[in-house]
Amino acid sequence: MKFMTAEPFRIKMVERIKKTTKEERQGWLKEANYNAFKIKAENVYIDCLTDSGTSAMSSEQWSALMLGDESYAGSKSFYKLEESVQDIFGMPYVQPTHQGRAADYIMAKLYAKEGKYAIGNMHFDTFRGNAEVLGAIPVDYVIDEGKDTASAAHPFKGNIDINKIENLIEEKGSEQISVVIITVTCNNNGGQPVSMQNIREVSALAGRYNIPVVIDSARLAENAYFIQQREDGYKNKSIKEITREMFSYCETATMSSKKDGLVNIGGLFVTRDEEVLQMAQQLAIVHEGFITYGGLTGRDLEALAVGLQEGCDQQYLEYRINQVKYLGDRLEEKGVPIVKPTGGHGVYVDGRRFFPHIPQHEFPSQRLVVALYEEAGVRAVELGACAFGSKDPVTQEPIWPDVETMRIGISRRVYTNSHMDVIANALGEIYKNRNEYKGMKLVYEGPITSLRHFTAGFELL
Ligand code: F0G
């Protein structure tokens, strides 16, 4: 029934957002050197830069904040969080961290090894950065269908290509691979899910060679929902039964709680291995805080304990995934080339198919980000030539990525479908006039190429 996908909540507090004029936005774009990260949030009408840390908390979460136990050690709030995490992950040991990348750091210190391969479907930047600093070799082995933005045929485009892992083992030897990391859902290619079968098979293969498996689980509930809806044998399973099975195939999980945890800050390092826990706790004490708060306040732990449960709620997920699909459907009706099928946390527009006349070295997806803000005050993010571009370490020649998209990240429980219509209509208009747009020139970048998108400066050609 279609109405079942409407919001399973009502709104009791609102935050004003500002409508601005095109002339104003052109001025702000210029001041920001055409980089969306440098635009002031107050000058954004609908903010789709990210789905991270931007959720609206529920009345239950706000009231839980008042129970925050701010004890340095052994706070009541930690034990509530621990119980909530154990319930969803089915794993015994929980170390909170201040956000996902802190958990990634601890995980990289334990699992990424100098000169050895860290295999992933598509590694998120913060693990990749940590791994590279440690001298490890991160490789992305997402299935080929995962790179084909136009095909909606494969229901699990975040899956890892098992053959590629086997070939690497054959070629280099299993001792050259220190870890396999499965990111659910796969953020870099459209929030695409990973199937249970793939997680199970990757785990079995890695297990035969004693290679540990880690799950980067920022969007664990969205992934579980896709498994429930799309994979044989899961239709009658609850979201938590599915998450517990997912994590039964790994040794350790990291989580940025700023996504499916429905909180504004927080992260988790979760493991079933006692020795791994002990090492993680040592690193947490040095970098995050004592083991029962990990850089968070008691209030944060309380809000997360509740938010994790709400994030796994069937009715919430039905609304959530269908709102993203709603935007995707509106865009498709207008002919806008999006990554298909729509994923969990946003709609990704294919920059090369949108602006076929703008070559990758003139940043088509970034041009689209600028056009969308200019026309409608909507802020999205480039995941393409700028964010994922790299350089040959010897010649410094640019290397252009396979992925060339603009991500419209949808915050959880924040915007209505009227906002989705604004985004779809604006992009539809831009698409009609697409031939009038020219590319962009990168005029400034910081010293670390993999982080350049945060501070880069552009000019319009
Ligand atoms: N892993 C994944 C898959 C992520 O998407 C992110 C963050 C992190 C780890 C790091 O977590 O931000 O809490 O430190 N992704 C955000 C995004 C920033 O916009 O996709 P964090």
Side-chain angles (χ1 to χ4, degrees), residues 50 99-101 124 183 187 216 219 256 258-259 407:
T50 179
Q99 63 181 81
R101 65 200 64 188
F124 186 69
T183 299
N187 185 6
D216 177 345
R219 300 174 179 91
S256 164
K258 300 170 71 174
K259 286 82 169 171
R407 180 184 75 178

Side-chain angles (χ1 to χ4, degrees), residues 33-35 88 113 141 143 175 193 211 324 387:
N33 301 311
Y34 299 96
N35 182 338
I88 287 163
K113 300 273 182 295
Y141 282 173
I143 53 170
E175 63 297 338
I211 302 167
V324 173

Side-chain angles (χ1 to χ4, degrees), residues 17-20 28 39-45 373 379:
I17 48 178
K18 192 166 75 182
K19 295 184 182 177
T20 55
W28 292 321
I39 295 170
K40 284 188 182 156
E42 66 170 337
N43 295 330
V44 175
Y45 175 44
Y373 177 73
R379 173 159 68 171

